[in-house]
C-alpha cells in the first residue's frame, strides 16, 4: 500500500526452501499414512498465488470408521498410562514444534495465506505453549477441581477451521491427550498440510499408534465423525450454521460437546483512551489474519466526541499497511483463504454500500493472482445495517458511535453473538464496570487478540458453548 513513511522497504521474503512439501499425502490412521478407502484425493492451493501445493487423500465414511476404531483400540493403553508418562509425550511434541517452528510457519503461510510474521510470531509460539501447558496438567488432574482421579471420556472427534489450522489443532489435541483421551481430527479442506505435518511430529515423538489420527476431507467427513456412535466427545470450531447442525445431530446422545462458533466483537473506545494505542489495537483487532478471526473486533464503537480524531488517525494508519506476498516479513495483510471466502466478503461489503453505509479503503495495488481484499472501513453505520450484524470474516470494520457507557454496552450486546469485546480507556474502574456488563466470553482491556494457554476462551449465545484453554479446558475432556 502507499507508504507515508520516508523509508521504503526492500522485500524481505522468507525462504520457501525451509519446508519440503511432498506431491501427495495420505490420511494418518493408526500411526501410518494410508490412502482413502475409495481412493479419492483433492488438491490444496496456496491462496496468495493459486498454485497447487499438494494432493491430499480425501477421507470418507469408511475412513472415519477405521480411524475411530484405531483410536478406540489405542485408548485402553493410553488412558491407563500414568499422567507423568503422558506428559513426557506432550513435552516432546512441544519441543519438536519449537525446533520445527520455522518450517511450520512457512508451511502455514503457504497453505493459509496469512503473513509469515503472524505464523512465526503468534501462531507457532502459541501452539508450542499449549502443548507445554497441558503437559503440565497431565499428572495434576486430581487438583483441577473436577474430583479425585477424573476419568477421560474416550475417543474425541475434533473438527477445526482454516483460519488458524495449527493453533486450533493444539487447542483441541493438547487437552485431549493430557486427560487420557485419543483423537480423530479433521482439518479444514483448504488447509490440511500443517495437520499432516503434525502427524509426522507425533511419529517423531514416538506417540503410540492410534492415539492421534488425522483425516483431511470435506464436510461429509466431519459429519461422519461427529455422528459416529463410538465417538464420546465432539469439539468443533467453525461457523454457527454448522455448529447448530452438530448440536441437533448429537441431541439425545451421551456425547459431550464444545462448540466455538462465530462472532461480531465490539471494540469500544472511550474519550479518555490513548488514541495511538487504540488505533494499533483496532488494527490488530480487525486486520490480523485479514479479519478471518472469530473473535475479531469487527464493530468499532467510538465515543462521539473523539470519533473524528480517531477516524483520521485510523485512516492514516491503514494507509501505511503493506498488502502482498505473505512470505515477505514486511507484509501486514496477506491473502484471503479461498475464492469462496473472498466472494462472501465481497458480497457483504457490497450489501453495506447498497444499504447506505460509507465505504473507504486506502489506495492499494492488489496482486494479479490469488485472493485479495483491501482493508475496508464502513462509517455512517447503524445497528440495522447488515455489516453491523453479520459476521463478514474478512478485513472489514464497521464504525458506530455512542455517547454514554450505557449506550456503548447496549450497542455492544445488541448482537446474536457473544465471543469477544475490547475496552479502551485509562480508567480501571470503567474497564471493570463495562466488562462485567458485556455478554462476551473474553473481554480485552487496552489490548486485543491477546491469547494465553492458561486463559479460557469461548462464547455466549450463537458463539457457542464450552471453554477451551486454561483449567476450564480440561473439563470438556473429563467425565466430571
Amino acid at each position: 500500500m502507499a507508504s507515508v513513511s520516508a523509508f521504503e522497504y526492500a522485500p524481505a521474503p522468507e525462504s520457501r526452501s525451509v519446508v519440503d512439501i511432498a506431491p501427495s499425502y495420505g490420511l494418518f490412521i493408526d500411526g501410518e499414512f494410508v490412502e482413502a478407502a475409495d481412493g479419492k484425493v483433492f488438491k490444496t492451493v496456496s491462496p496468495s498465488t493459486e498454485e497447487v501445493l499438494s494432493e491430499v487423500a480425501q477421507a470418507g465414511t469408511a475412513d472415519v470408521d477405521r480411524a475411530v476404531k484405531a483410536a478406540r483400540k489405542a485408548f485402553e493403553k493410553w488412558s491407563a498410562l500414568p499422567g507423568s508418562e503422558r506428559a513426557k509425550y506432550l513435552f516432546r511434541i512441544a519441543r519438536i514444534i519449537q525446533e520445527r517452528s520455522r518450517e511450520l510457519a512457512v508451511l502455514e503461510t503457504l497453505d493459509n495465506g496469512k503473513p509469515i510474521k503472524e505464523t512465526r510470531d503468534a501462531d507457532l509460539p502459541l501452539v508450542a505453549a499449549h502443548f507445554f501447558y497441558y503437559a503440565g496438567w497431565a499428572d495434576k488432574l486430581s487438583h483441577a477441581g473436577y474430583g479425585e482421579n477424573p476419568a477421560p471420556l474416550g475417543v474425541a472427534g475434533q473438527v477445526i477451521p482454516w483460519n488458524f489450522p495449527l493453533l486450533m489443532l493444539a487447542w483441541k489435541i493438547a487437552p485431549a491427550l493430557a486427560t487420557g483421551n485419543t483423537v480423530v481430527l479433521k482439518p479444514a479442506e483448504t488447509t490440511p498440510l500443517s495437520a499432516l505435518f503434525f502427524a509426522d511430529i507425533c511419529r517423531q515423538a514416538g506417540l503410540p499408534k492410534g492415539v492421534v489420527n488425522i483425516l483431511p476431507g470435506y464436510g461429509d467427513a466431519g459429519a461422519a465423525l461427529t455422528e459416529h456412535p463410538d465417538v464420546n466427545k465432539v469439539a468443533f470450531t467453525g461457523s454457527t450454521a454448522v455448529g447448530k447442525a452438530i448440536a441437533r445431530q448429537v441431541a439425545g446422545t451421551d456425547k459431550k460437546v464444545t462448540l466455538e462458533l462465530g462472532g461480531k466483537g465490539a471494540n469500544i473506545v472511550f474519550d479518555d483512551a490513548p488514541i495511538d494505542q487504540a488505533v494499533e489495537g483496532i488494527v490488530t483487532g480487525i486486520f490480523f489474519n485479514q479479519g478471518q478471526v472469530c473473535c475479531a473486533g469487527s464493530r468499532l464503537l467510538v465515543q462521539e466526541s473523539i470519533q473524528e480524531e480517531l477516524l483520521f488517525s485510523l485512516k492514516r494508519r491503514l494507509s501505511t499497511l503493506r498488502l502482498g506476498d505473505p512470505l515477505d516479513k514486511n507484509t501486514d495483510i496477506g491473502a484471503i483463504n479461498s475464492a469462496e471466502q473472498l466472494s462472501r466478503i465481497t458480497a457483504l461489503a457490497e450489501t453495506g454500500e447498497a444499504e447506505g453505509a460509507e465505504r473507504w479503503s486506502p489506495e492499494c495495488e492488489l496482486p494479479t493472482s490469488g485472493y485479495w481484499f483491501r482493508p475496508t472501513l464502513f462509517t455512517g453505520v447503524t445497528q440495522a445495517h447488515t455489516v453491523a450484524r453479520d459476521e463478514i470474516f474478512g478485513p472489514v470494520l464497521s464504525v458506530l458511535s455512542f455517547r454514554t457507557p450505557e449506550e456503548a454496552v447496549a450497542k455492544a450486546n445488541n448482537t446474536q453473538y457473544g465471543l469477544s469485546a475490547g475496552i479502551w480507556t485509562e480508567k480501571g474502574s470503567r474497564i471493570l464496570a463495562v466488562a462485567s456488563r458485556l455478554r462476551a466470553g473474553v473481554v480485552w482491556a487496552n489490548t486485543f487478540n491477546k491469547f494465553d494457554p492458561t486463559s479460557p476462551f469461548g462464547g455466549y449465545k450463537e458463539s457457542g458453548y464450552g471453554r477451551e484453554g486454561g483449567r476450564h479446558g480440561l473439563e470438556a475432556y473429563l467425565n466430571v
Side-chain angles (χ1 to χ4, degrees):
M1 291 185 192
S3 175
V4 296
S5 162
F7 297 102
E8 279 303 312
Y9 286 96
E14 171 61 279
S15 171
R16 278 188 62 156
S17 65
V18 301
V19 63
D20 187 19
I21 301 175
S24 67
Y25 289 93
L27 313 171
F28 187 68
I29 299 175
D30 206 19
E32 305 292 335
F33 285 102
V34 296
E35 285 183 22
D38 58 8
K40 281 188 180 172
V41 294
F42 66 98
K43 290 175 168 57
T44 185
V45 168
S46 182
S48 60
T49 60
E50 298 176 63
E51 66 172 298
V52 173
L53 294 171
S54 187
E55 195 174 73
V56 179
Q58 181 182 329
T61 308
D63 306 300
V64 169
D65 193 51
R66 193 163 38 144
V68 172
K69 284 193 171 97
R72 175 61 60 199
K73 189 177 163 206
F75 174 68
E76 283 179 40
K77 285 183 179 172
W78 180 251
S79 60
L81 281 180
S84 56
E85 289 300 309
R86 287 199 303 273
K88 288 178 188 175
Y89 288 105
L90 285 160
F91 275 122
R92 214 174 290 158
I93 287 169
R95 290 293 298 153
I96 295 169
I97 286 166
Q98 286 185 319
E99 287 160 12
R100 297 180 66 175
S101 65
R102 188 179 176 202
E103 172 192 3
L104 288 164
V106 172
L107 179 76
E108 198 79 302
T109 287
L110 285 170
D111 205 20
N112 168 281
K114 66 171 75 178
I116 185 71
K117 67 179 181 184
E118 291 181 12
T119 55
R120 180 195 65 195
D121 300 344
D123 293 22
L124 263 300
L126 272 170
V127 170
H130 274 82
F131 279 98
F132 278 125
Y133 175 73
Y134 282 110
W137 268 117
D139 63 348
K140 303 173 190 69
L141 297 176
S142 294
H143 306 285
Y146 304 118
E148 187 67 27
N149 294 322
L153 297 168
V155 176
Q158 304 176 327
V159 181
I160 58 171
W162 45 259
N163 57 339
F164 291 92
L166 203 52
L167 183 57
M168 293 297 104
L169 175 149
W171 280 23
K172 303 274 187 290
I173 290 181
L177 298 194
T179 47
N181 299 275
T182 53
V183 166
V184 180
L185 177 130
K186 191 200 89 70
E189 62 270 20
T190 60
T191 53
L193 293 183
S194 54
L196 293 166
F197 269 59
F198 180 79
D200 190 49
I201 287 171
C202 290
R203 292 207 298 195
Q204 205 181 331
L207 193 71
K209 290 184 174 188
V211 173
V212 168
N213 304 273
I214 309 278
L215 300 181
Y218 285 79
D220 59 331
L225 177 59
T226 55
E227 72 184 9
H228 195 287
D230 205 24
V231 165
N232 307 100
K233 153 79 184 149
V234 171
F236 172 76
T237 297
S239 74
T240 296
V242 176
K244 287 178 175 178
I246 290 171
R248 286 192 292 270
Q249 191 186 62
V250 301
T253 71
D254 61 355
K255 287 178 181 160
K256 218 169 177 181
V257 184
T258 46
L259 301 174
E260 196 260 276
L261 310 174
K264 193 72 180 171
N267 214 352
I268 306 167
V269 183
F270 287 97
D271 57 8
D272 62 341
I275 295 274
D276 289 344
Q277 189 184 335
V279 164
E280 290 305 310
I282 293 160
V283 169
T284 300
I286 185 58
F287 300 118
F288 178 70
N289 196 16
Q290 298 71 253
Q292 299 169 136
V293 183
C294 46
C295 56
S298 52
R299 288 182 298 149
L300 174 61
L301 303 184
V302 55
Q303 200 149 11
E304 213 171 74
S305 57
I306 59 159
Q307 184 176 5
E308 203 174 312
E309 182 189 356
L310 184 95
L311 282 175
F312 178 80
S313 293
L314 181 58
K315 286 178 177 179
R316 186 180 59 194
R317 179 69 179 94
L318 292 189
S319 299
T320 69
L321 293 178
R322 300 176 68 82
L323 178 147
D325 178 9
L327 278 176
D328 191 324
K329 294 166 193 148
N330 293 323
T331 295
D332 301 298
I333 308 277
I336 302 300
N337 181 254
S338 64
E340 185 188 1
Q341 186 57 24
L342 178 59
S343 67
R344 175 179 162 76
I345 297 165
T346 305
L348 281 163
E350 285 168 359
T351 301
E353 273 188 290
E355 290 177 356
E358 193 174 321
R359 181 175 180 171
W360 180 88
S361 291
E363 282 296 310
C364 107
E365 210 176 304
L366 297 182
T368 49
S369 62
Y371 316 123
W372 306 90
F373 196 88
R374 288 179 179 82
T376 299
L377 282 184
F378 277 104
T379 51
V381 177
T382 72
Q383 309 219 69
H385 280 110
T386 302
V387 291
R389 293 196 321 268
D390 288 11
E391 182 180 39
I392 298 172
F393 222 64
V396 180
L397 179 65
S398 299
V399 184
L400 300 95
S401 65
F402 67 90
R403 289 180 179 175
T404 65
E406 289 69 30
E407 187 186 354
V409 169
K411 283 187 170 175
N413 287 339
N414 184 18
T415 171
Q416 74 264 38
Y417 298 111
L419 195 54
S420 68
I423 302 168
W424 298 83
T425 172
E426 66 173 18
K427 295 185 180 69
S429 57
R430 180 182 277 165
I431 290 169
L432 295 171
V434 172
S436 65
R437 293 161 63 201
L438 293 174
R439 293 289 288 163
V442 57
V443 180
W444 286 290
N446 294 328
T447 187
F448 210 93
N449 276 340
K450 281 272 184 267
F451 294 100
D452 189 283
T454 66
S455 177
F457 183 87
Y460 291 100
K461 299 189 278 188
E462 290 195 11
S463 290
Y465 45 79
R467 293 292 179 266
E468 294 183 299
R471 180 184 67 83
H472 307 69
L474 297 165
E475 183 184 1
Y477 292 96
L478 292 170
N479 196 358
V480 296

mmCIF file of all heavy atoms in Angstrom, residues 27-57:
data_model
loop_
_atom_site.group_PDB
_atom_site.id
_atom_site.type_symbol
_atom_site.label_atom_id
_atom_site.label_comp_id
_atom_site.label_asym_id
_atom_site.label_seq_id
_atom_site.Cartn_x
_atom_site.Cartn_y
_atom_site.Cartn_z
ATOM 1 N N LEU A 27 -4.051 -40.160 4.416
ATOM 2 C CA LEU A 27 -4.694 -39.970 5.717
ATOM 3 C C LEU A 27 -3.775 -40.560 6.772
ATOM 4 O O LEU A 27 -3.042 -41.517 6.497
ATOM 5 C CB LEU A 27 -6.039 -40.698 5.755
ATOM 6 C CG LEU A 27 -6.975 -40.508 4.559
ATOM 7 C CD1 LEU A 27 -8.161 -41.475 4.659
ATOM 8 C CD2 LEU A 27 -7.469 -39.073 4.490
ATOM 9 N N PHE A 28 -3.802 -40.034 7.982
ATOM 10 C CA PHE A 28 -2.958 -40.570 9.057
ATOM 11 C C PHE A 28 -3.847 -41.373 10.008
ATOM 12 O O PHE A 28 -4.598 -40.803 10.796
ATOM 13 C CB PHE A 28 -2.258 -39.432 9.800
ATOM 14 C CG PHE A 28 -1.250 -39.897 10.817
ATOM 15 C CD1 PHE A 28 -0.074 -40.530 10.424
ATOM 16 C CD2 PHE A 28 -1.469 -39.692 12.174
ATOM 17 C CE1 PHE A 28 0.859 -40.946 11.363
ATOM 18 C CE2 PHE A 28 -0.535 -40.106 13.121
ATOM 19 C CZ PHE A 28 0.634 -40.729 12.714
ATOM 20 N N ILE A 29 -3.798 -42.685 9.882
ATOM 21 C CA ILE A 29 -4.641 -43.572 10.687
ATOM 22 C C ILE A 29 -3.767 -44.636 11.340
ATOM 23 O O ILE A 29 -2.977 -45.312 10.658
ATOM 24 C CB ILE A 29 -5.737 -44.243 9.824
ATOM 25 C CG1 ILE A 29 -6.656 -43.181 9.203
ATOM 26 C CG2 ILE A 29 -6.560 -45.225 10.653
ATOM 27 C CD1 ILE A 29 -7.689 -43.740 8.233
ATOM 28 N N ASP A 30 -3.907 -44.793 12.659
ATOM 29 C CA ASP A 30 -3.183 -45.817 13.415
ATOM 30 C C ASP A 30 -1.671 -45.738 13.192
ATOM 31 O O ASP A 30 -0.991 -46.745 13.018
ATOM 32 C CB ASP A 30 -3.711 -47.215 13.037
ATOM 33 C CG ASP A 30 -3.499 -48.231 14.166
ATOM 34 O OD1 ASP A 30 -3.293 -47.792 15.327
ATOM 35 O OD2 ASP A 30 -3.533 -49.445 13.899
ATOM 36 N N GLY A 31 -1.163 -44.517 13.161
ATOM 37 C CA GLY A 31 0.280 -44.319 13.077
ATOM 38 C C GLY A 31 0.872 -44.429 11.685
ATOM 39 O O GLY A 31 2.091 -44.350 11.518
ATOM 40 N N GLU A 32 0.042 -44.611 10.657
ATOM 41 C CA GLU A 32 0.539 -44.756 9.288
ATOM 42 C C GLU A 32 -0.200 -43.805 8.348
ATOM 43 O O GLU A 32 -1.376 -43.503 8.552
ATOM 44 C CB GLU A 32 0.312 -46.197 8.779
ATOM 45 C CG GLU A 32 0.900 -47.283 9.659
ATOM 46 C CD GLU A 32 2.422 -47.286 9.683
ATOM 47 O OE1 GLU A 32 3.031 -46.789 8.702
ATOM 48 O OE2 GLU A 32 3.001 -47.754 10.680
ATOM 49 N N PHE A 33 0.490 -43.390 7.285
ATOM 50 C CA PHE A 33 -0.168 -42.633 6.207
ATOM 51 C C PHE A 33 -0.747 -43.632 5.206
ATOM 52 O O PHE A 33 -0.018 -44.482 4.679
ATOM 53 C CB PHE A 33 0.820 -41.695 5.517
ATOM 54 C CG PHE A 33 1.139 -40.473 6.341
ATOM 55 C CD1 PHE A 33 2.323 -40.378 7.056
ATOM 56 C CD2 PHE A 33 0.239 -39.417 6.410
ATOM 57 C CE1 PHE A 33 2.616 -39.258 7.822
ATOM 58 C CE2 PHE A 33 0.513 -38.285 7.180
ATOM 59 C CZ PHE A 33 1.707 -38.216 7.885
ATOM 60 N N VAL A 34 -2.041 -43.538 4.976
ATOM 61 C CA VAL A 34 -2.727 -44.513 4.114
ATOM 62 C C VAL A 34 -3.613 -43.788 3.100
ATOM 63 O O VAL A 34 -4.003 -42.635 3.308
ATOM 64 C CB VAL A 34 -3.600 -45.484 4.953
ATOM 65 C CG1 VAL A 34 -2.735 -46.333 5.873
ATOM 66 C CG2 VAL A 34 -4.652 -44.720 5.750
ATOM 67 N N GLU A 35 -3.939 -44.484 2.012
ATOM 68 C CA GLU A 35 -4.862 -43.930 1.020
ATOM 69 C C GLU A 35 -6.283 -43.960 1.563
ATOM 70 O O GLU A 35 -6.607 -44.770 2.436
ATOM 71 C CB GLU A 35 -4.805 -44.748 -0.272
ATOM 72 C CG GLU A 35 -3.561 -44.509 -1.100
ATOM 73 C CD GLU A 35 -3.594 -45.303 -2.401
ATOM 74 O OE1 GLU A 35 -4.691 -45.682 -2.850
ATOM 75 O OE2 GLU A 35 -2.500 -45.540 -2.953
ATOM 76 N N ALA A 36 -7.145 -43.103 1.012
ATOM 77 C CA ALA A 36 -8.567 -43.162 1.352
ATOM 78 C C ALA A 36 -9.145 -44.469 0.818
ATOM 79 O O ALA A 36 -8.679 -44.987 -0.206
ATOM 80 C CB ALA A 36 -9.303 -41.974 0.746
ATOM 81 N N ALA A 37 -10.139 -45.000 1.526
ATOM 82 C CA ALA A 37 -10.735 -46.292 1.140
ATOM 83 C C ALA A 37 -11.238 -46.276 -0.298
ATOM 84 O O ALA A 37 -11.103 -47.259 -1.025
ATOM 85 C CB ALA A 37 -11.873 -46.642 2.098
ATOM 86 N N ASP A 38 -11.812 -45.135 -0.717
ATOM 87 C CA ASP A 38 -12.347 -45.060 -2.086
ATOM 88 C C ASP A 38 -11.352 -44.422 -3.068
ATOM 89 O O ASP A 38 -11.687 -44.170 -4.228
ATOM 90 C CB ASP A 38 -13.674 -44.295 -2.113
ATOM 91 C CG ASP A 38 -13.552 -42.877 -1.563
ATOM 92 O OD1 ASP A 38 -12.404 -42.439 -1.310
ATOM 93 O OD2 ASP A 38 -14.590 -42.213 -1.385
ATOM 94 N N GLY A 39 -10.130 -44.164 -2.585
ATOM 95 C CA GLY A 39 -9.086 -43.637 -3.454
ATOM 96 C C GLY A 39 -9.227 -42.169 -3.832
ATOM 97 O O GLY A 39 -8.464 -41.646 -4.641
ATOM 98 N N LYS A 40 -10.198 -41.457 -3.225
ATOM 99 C CA LYS A 40 -10.428 -40.054 -3.590
ATOM 100 C C LYS A 40 -9.303 -39.158 -3.071
ATOM 101 O O LYS A 40 -8.753 -39.406 -1.995
ATOM 102 C CB LYS A 40 -11.757 -39.556 -3.023
ATOM 103 C CG LYS A 40 -12.970 -39.993 -3.832
ATOM 104 C CD LYS A 40 -14.215 -39.299 -3.325
ATOM 105 C CE LYS A 40 -15.447 -39.725 -4.122
ATOM 106 N NZ LYS A 40 -16.685 -39.206 -3.524
ATOM 107 N N VAL A 41 -8.999 -38.122 -3.861
ATOM 108 C CA VAL A 41 -7.999 -37.120 -3.458
ATOM 109 C C VAL A 41 -8.531 -35.733 -3.794
ATOM 110 O O VAL A 41 -9.483 -35.591 -4.554
ATOM 111 C CB VAL A 41 -6.645 -37.334 -4.183
ATOM 112 C CG1 VAL A 41 -5.987 -38.638 -3.774
ATOM 113 C CG2 VAL A 41 -6.830 -37.283 -5.700
ATOM 114 N N PHE A 42 -7.929 -34.720 -3.180
ATOM 115 C CA PHE A 42 -8.243 -33.338 -3.539
ATOM 116 C C PHE A 42 -6.959 -32.523 -3.491
ATOM 117 O O PHE A 42 -5.957 -32.969 -2.919
ATOM 118 C CB PHE A 42 -9.336 -32.741 -2.630
ATOM 119 C CG PHE A 42 -8.932 -32.585 -1.188
ATOM 120 C CD1 PHE A 42 -8.494 -31.359 -0.704
ATOM 121 C CD2 PHE A 42 -9.001 -33.652 -0.293
ATOM 122 C CE1 PHE A 42 -8.132 -31.201 0.627
ATOM 123 C CE2 PHE A 42 -8.641 -33.507 1.036
ATOM 124 C CZ PHE A 42 -8.208 -32.282 1.504
ATOM 125 N N LYS A 43 -7.002 -31.352 -4.114
ATOM 126 C CA LYS A 43 -5.795 -30.519 -4.173
ATOM 127 C C LYS A 43 -5.888 -29.396 -3.149
ATOM 128 O O LYS A 43 -6.966 -28.846 -2.921
ATOM 129 C CB LYS A 43 -5.628 -29.933 -5.577
ATOM 130 C CG LYS A 43 -5.252 -30.988 -6.621
ATOM 131 C CD LYS A 43 -5.202 -30.398 -8.011
ATOM 132 C CE LYS A 43 -4.551 -31.338 -9.020
ATOM 133 N NZ LYS A 43 -5.199 -32.642 -9.122
ATOM 134 N N THR A 44 -4.760 -29.058 -2.538
ATOM 135 C CA THR A 44 -4.725 -27.882 -1.664
ATOM 136 C C THR A 44 -3.900 -26.802 -2.365
ATOM 137 O O THR A 44 -2.842 -27.078 -2.936
ATOM 138 C CB THR A 44 -4.186 -28.212 -0.259
ATOM 139 O OG1 THR A 44 -4.305 -27.041 0.569
ATOM 140 C CG2 THR A 44 -2.742 -28.665 -0.258
ATOM 141 N N VAL A 45 -4.439 -25.578 -2.347
ATOM 142 C CA VAL A 45 -3.936 -24.480 -3.169
ATOM 143 C C VAL A 45 -3.413 -23.358 -2.277
ATOM 144 O O VAL A 45 -3.963 -23.101 -1.206
ATOM 145 C CB VAL A 45 -5.106 -23.970 -4.053
ATOM 146 C CG1 VAL A 45 -4.758 -22.657 -4.732
ATOM 147 C CG2 VAL A 45 -5.483 -25.022 -5.079
ATOM 148 N N SER A 46 -2.361 -22.688 -2.708
ATOM 149 C CA SER A 46 -1.869 -21.522 -1.973
ATOM 150 C C SER A 46 -2.723 -20.302 -2.323
ATOM 151 O O SER A 46 -2.796 -19.915 -3.494
ATOM 152 C CB SER A 46 -0.407 -21.242 -2.340
ATOM 153 O OG SER A 46 0.065 -20.151 -1.586
ATOM 154 N N PRO A 47 -3.397 -19.678 -1.353
ATOM 155 C CA PRO A 47 -4.320 -18.580 -1.646
ATOM 156 C C PRO A 47 -3.653 -17.341 -2.236
ATOM 157 O O PRO A 47 -4.316 -16.548 -2.899
ATOM 158 C CB PRO A 47 -4.936 -18.238 -0.281
ATOM 159 C CG PRO A 47 -4.559 -19.333 0.629
ATOM 160 C CD PRO A 47 -3.332 -19.981 0.083
ATOM 161 N N SER A 48 -2.354 -17.173 -2.006
ATOM 162 C CA SER A 48 -1.691 -15.957 -2.497
ATOM 163 C C SER A 48 -1.271 -16.073 -3.955
ATOM 164 O O SER A 48 -1.052 -15.067 -4.625
ATOM 165 C CB SER A 48 -0.485 -15.607 -1.623
ATOM 166 O OG SER A 48 0.451 -16.663 -1.648
ATOM 167 N N THR A 49 -1.145 -17.307 -4.476
ATOM 168 C CA THR A 49 -0.680 -17.495 -5.859
ATOM 169 C C THR A 49 -1.601 -18.393 -6.675
ATOM 170 O O THR A 49 -1.467 -18.468 -7.891
ATOM 171 C CB THR A 49 0.724 -18.139 -5.866
ATOM 172 O OG1 THR A 49 0.636 -19.414 -5.205
ATOM 173 C CG2 THR A 49 1.742 -17.257 -5.160
ATOM 174 N N GLU A 50 -2.490 -19.105 -6.007
ATOM 175 C CA GLU A 50 -3.389 -20.090 -6.630
ATOM 176 C C GLU A 50 -2.650 -21.310 -7.180
ATOM 177 O O GLU A 50 -3.205 -22.090 -7.944
ATOM 178 C CB GLU A 50 -4.266 -19.453 -7.721
ATOM 179 C CG GLU A 50 -5.195 -18.356 -7.192
ATOM 180 C CD GLU A 50 -5.982 -17.675 -8.296
ATOM 181 O OE1 GLU A 50 -6.789 -18.361 -8.954
ATOM 182 O OE2 GLU A 50 -5.791 -16.458 -8.494
ATOM 183 N N GLU A 51 -1.391 -21.485 -6.791
ATOM 184 C CA GLU A 51 -0.664 -22.681 -7.237
ATOM 185 C C GLU A 51 -1.061 -23.882 -6.371
ATOM 186 O O GLU A 51 -1.358 -23.745 -5.184
ATOM 187 C CB GLU A 51 0.847 -22.455 -7.138
ATOM 188 C CG GLU A 51 1.333 -22.304 -5.707
ATOM 189 C CD GLU A 51 2.845 -22.271 -5.575
ATOM 190 O OE1 GLU A 51 3.496 -23.267 -5.926
ATOM 191 O OE2 GLU A 51 3.361 -21.245 -5.095
ATOM 192 N N VAL A 52 -1.069 -25.058 -6.981
ATOM 193 C CA VAL A 52 -1.365 -26.286 -6.242
ATOM 194 C C VAL A 52 -0.133 -26.655 -5.421
ATOM 195 O O VAL A 52 0.979 -26.777 -5.950
ATOM 196 C CB VAL A 52 -1.739 -27.436 -7.203
ATOM 197 C CG1 VAL A 52 -1.888 -28.750 -6.439
ATOM 198 C CG2 VAL A 52 -3.034 -27.103 -7.943
ATOM 199 N N LEU A 53 -0.325 -26.818 -4.113
ATOM 200 C CA LEU A 53 0.794 -27.168 -3.226
ATOM 201 C C LEU A 53 0.988 -28.675 -3.135
ATOM 202 O O LEU A 53 2.102 -29.172 -3.106
ATOM 203 C CB LEU A 53 0.548 -26.603 -1.825
ATOM 204 C CG LEU A 53 0.537 -25.084 -1.697
ATOM 205 C CD1 LEU A 53 0.065 -24.667 -0.313
ATOM 206 C CD2 LEU A 53 1.914 -24.497 -1.983
ATOM 207 N N SER A 54 -0.133 -29.404 -3.065
ATOM 208 C CA SER A 54 -0.044 -30.856 -2.919
ATOM 209 C C SER A 54 -1.402 -31.482 -3.174
ATOM 210 O O SER A 54 -2.423 -30.794 -3.197
ATOM 211 C CB SER A 54 0.431 -31.214 -1.503
ATOM 212 O OG SER A 54 0.681 -32.601 -1.405
ATOM 213 N N GLU A 55 -1.383 -32.802 -3.359
ATOM 214 C CA GLU A 55 -2.615 -33.573 -3.500
ATOM 215 C C GLU A 55 -2.794 -34.369 -2.210
ATOM 216 O O GLU A 55 -1.830 -34.964 -1.718
ATOM 217 C CB GLU A 55 -2.463 -34.517 -4.693
ATOM 218 C CG GLU A 55 -3.746 -35.123 -5.195
ATOM 219 C CD GLU A 55 -3.508 -35.928 -6.461
ATOM 220 O OE1 GLU A 55 -2.923 -37.023 -6.361
ATOM 221 O OE2 GLU A 55 -3.901 -35.452 -7.536
ATOM 222 N N VAL A 56 -4.006 -34.360 -1.682
ATOM 223 C CA VAL A 56 -4.242 -34.926 -0.352
ATOM 224 C C VAL A 56 -5.379 -35.946 -0.419
ATOM 225 O O VAL A 56 -6.383 -35.724 -1.107
ATOM 226 C CB VAL A 56 -4.604 -33.799 0.652
ATOM 227 C CG1 VAL A 56 -4.879 -34.359 2.037
ATOM 228 C CG2 VAL A 56 -3.479 -32.770 0.732
ATOM 229 N N ALA A 57 -5.205 -37.060 0.286
ATOM 230 C CA ALA A 57 -6.261 -38.079 0.347
ATOM 231 C C ALA A 57 -7.507 -37.486 0.994
ATOM 232 O O ALA A 57 -7.416 -36.728 1.971
ATOM 233 C CB ALA A 57 -5.774 -39.281 1.129
#
